[in-house]
Amino acid sequence: HLTSEDQSPWSGSQHSRHPRAAASKSATRKKMMQSMPMSMACPYCVLSERGYHFSSPLLASYGQPCVYHLRCLQWPISGIKNQFSEDAEDWHLSQFWYDDATSEKLATEAVEQSAGSLIGCISTPSVFKAIKRLFPAQAVYLLEYDQRFSRYGDAFIPYDYSEPLNVPAHLHHSLQVVVADPPYISEECQSKTVETIRLVASPTAKIIINTGRVMEPLLAAGVANLRLCSWRPRHKRHLGNEFCCFANYESSVLGS
């Protein structure tokens, strides 16, 4: 945990009246910087192709970076690129990737159920990538907050669950299959994701939602005929909550 002094937007000894205390604070900051996780991005830096760079007027006025920035100045660019690569989970965005078997099973099921029609992946980049890899001719959209996936061009739709109806008009009631995984297990996130699903799903859409079992009553109230599946999605990292799959149609693959 950072103290109020360590959270200051500047560093240095000008706030200490004792040289010995200043040296102690400096040593403490050095230890914090060395142990600070790479995922803790500096609020005063901007990520560019060359890595982090100075970008804040606040820093310019004080002439000293915060401890976060001092730490990220020490990061090798290769490490930064790896941290922000498409394959890295961003825990700030509550990202927990499915394992390969889960991604491929959901991708195959979505394509088979679509019968060549449009598929939408809402906050499920793992499934989207599996579809693109296994079925390159399939028309599929990814509705996702993480801008790292913008490299997929028109198939990437910037999406923020807090604005559930902010979706391009050409997707309204047009998707034959929707695979969704709300990023947070909260009533607000789940209910707003359901709003988006109802907006983009066609009248006969096949809907698959992966989330915590505790959300079953809320989802069932928002999506007609939604039922719990016997099959369970798995992640590359173990999750503490009971994670389940729900579908609004009968599927021998998912056990619905």
Side-chain angles (χ1 to χ4, degrees), residues 103-113 127 130-131 134-135:
S103 297
E104 291 172 5
K105 179 184 281 287
L106 289 169
T108 302
E109 173 72 0
V111 170
E112 289 180 354
Q113 294 297 330
V127 178
I131 292 174
L134 299 174
F135 308 97

Side-chain angles (χ1 to χ4, degrees), residues 210-228:
N210 297 321
T211 189
R213 184 166 187 173
V214 68
M215 290 291 116
E216 183 175 3
L218 185 150
L219 295 176
V223 180
N225 301 316
L226 197 71
R227 67 200 77 176
L228 178 67

Side-chain angles (χ1 to χ4, degrees), residues 109-110 113 177 205-208 224-227 229 246-252 254-256:
E109 173 72 0
Q113 294 297 330
V177 176
K206 307 292 179 63
I207 298 170
I208 302 170
N225 301 316
L226 197 71
R227 67 200 77 176
C229 303
F246 301 88
N248 72 334
Y249 65 98
E250 292 185 6
S251 168
S252 58
L254 302 180
S256 61

Side-chain angles (χ1 to χ4, degrees), residues 64-79:
Q64 291 285 350
C66 65
V67 292
Y68 296 103
H69 184 79
L70 289 173
R71 176 57 176 156
C72 57
L73 286 178
Q74 297 176 15
W75 296 342
I77 291 178
S78 59

Side-chain angles (χ1 to χ4, degrees), residues 161-193:
Y161 80 83
S162 65
E163 301 178 43
L165 304 183
N166 187 16
V167 178
H170 71 273
L171 291 184
H172 293 187
H173 311 296
S174 66
L175 303 181
Q176 184 56 34
V177 176
V178 177
V179 183
D181 186 340
Y184 301 99
I185 300 181
S186 68
E187 289 189 8
E188 179 197 21
C189 179
Q190 301 276 326
S191 60
K192 289 187 175 181
T193 299

Side-chain angles (χ1 to χ4, degrees), residues 76-127:
I77 291 178
S78 59
I80 292 172
K81 288 183 177 179
N82 179 64
Q83 174 69 18
F84 288 88
S85 71
E86 191 178 288
D87 295 325
E89 295 171 337
D90 186 342
W91 62 269
H92 290 290
L93 300 180
S94 188
Q95 290 178 339
F96 303 95
W97 298 154
Y98 299 138
D99 63 20
D100 293 341
T102 294
S103 297
E104 291 172 5
K105 179 184 281 287
L106 289 169
T108 302
E109 173 72 0
V111 170
E112 289 180 354
Q113 294 297 330
S114 74
S117 299
L118 286 176
I119 297 174
C121 296
I122 301 177
S123 304
T124 53
S126 297
V127 178

